[in-house]
Amino acid sequence: MWFPEDPQQVPWTRFLDEVADSGYEWIELGPYGYLPTDPARLSAETERRGLKVSAGTVFTGLHHGPDVWEKTWDHVSAIAELTRATGARHLVVIPSFWRDDKTGEVLEDSSLTPEQWRHLTTQTERLGREVRERYGLTIVVHPHADTHIDTEENVTRFLDGTDPDLVSLCLDTGHYAYCGGDSVKLIETYGERIGYLHLKQVDPAVLAEVRAQDMPFGPAVARGVMCEPPTGVPALEPVLAAAAKLDVDLFAIVEQDMYPCEPDKPLPIARRTRAFLRSCGA
């Protein structure tokens, strides 16, 4: 579910039903407006299915500097309010794309200037402080394909430039592998900064095609670059083992980017993936 309203995705009621039917207990809010935004209704719908909310999701372009703060905060505050009302403790922060994920249109340079890096780090720290003080939530920044926080070099630069007390990371194993990163190495090196996990895999053969063609992320997903575990990379057993060594409580959300896809396809994959992860000790 990438977009709040899209005829190619399943209705939110079916999504909740299938999450529960496949044995999962936790969900994220996803794009604001897909699930009910009235806290009472959302709570009623999740509780009767035995589901709980672990995080909300916001989209930001903080490398543009203070000029975008008010617009960003308008977006963040509504989602943070709903996230707090669900009892969740995290807000997943996704940086803006440098090229359009549908059309592939290049929107800006894929590399940031030193000034833009300063804006990104200082404004993200501000976001972490404001979200914590006003809503009691912890932000976890999500390195993502086709954004400026993607490769090992950019992720480590971002972590080194931000205050650990204000900014944690949502490590998405699939996106990090997509961008050439090693999730186990990141956990072992920056373990204290890992605040949240998205467990996902990529198909290395499809990824090689994507890289060779410099394909935007949206078309890459349609090509099937994100795949069902355990058929892809990274291997999730070592990732889970490295995370377990941190000896902290980490939320791990299971995902597979599939857009567009047949409506009947996700449920059996969700069931098999849960069984696989259970076999890994998750």
Side-chain angles (χ1 to χ4, degrees), residues 34-95:
Y34 176 66
L35 295 177
T37 56
D38 174 67
R41 187 182 183 200
L42 179 60
S43 294
E45 295 287 352
T46 53
E47 288 173 6
R48 72 183 183 86
R49 295 173 173 87
L51 299 174
K52 294 168 283 189
V53 176
S54 61
T57 303
V58 298
F59 297 86
T60 59
L62 294 171
H63 63 287
H64 293 297
D67 290 347
V68 301
W69 176 259
E70 291 303 325
K71 181 180 179 181
T72 301
W73 187 251
D74 286 344
H75 167 68
V76 169
S77 58
I79 298 170
E81 185 71 48
L82 179 61
T83 302
R84 178 175 64 177
T86 68
R89 302 198 309 269
H90 296 90
L91 201 61
V92 178
V93 178
I94 299 181

Side-chain angles (χ1 to χ4, degrees), residues 137-154:
L137 303 174
T138 298
I139 67 166
V140 285
V141 177
H142 184 322
H144 198 291
D146 283 1
T147 75
H148 297 106
I149 307 176
D150 52 359
T151 62
E152 177 182 359
E153 179 184 3
N154 286 336

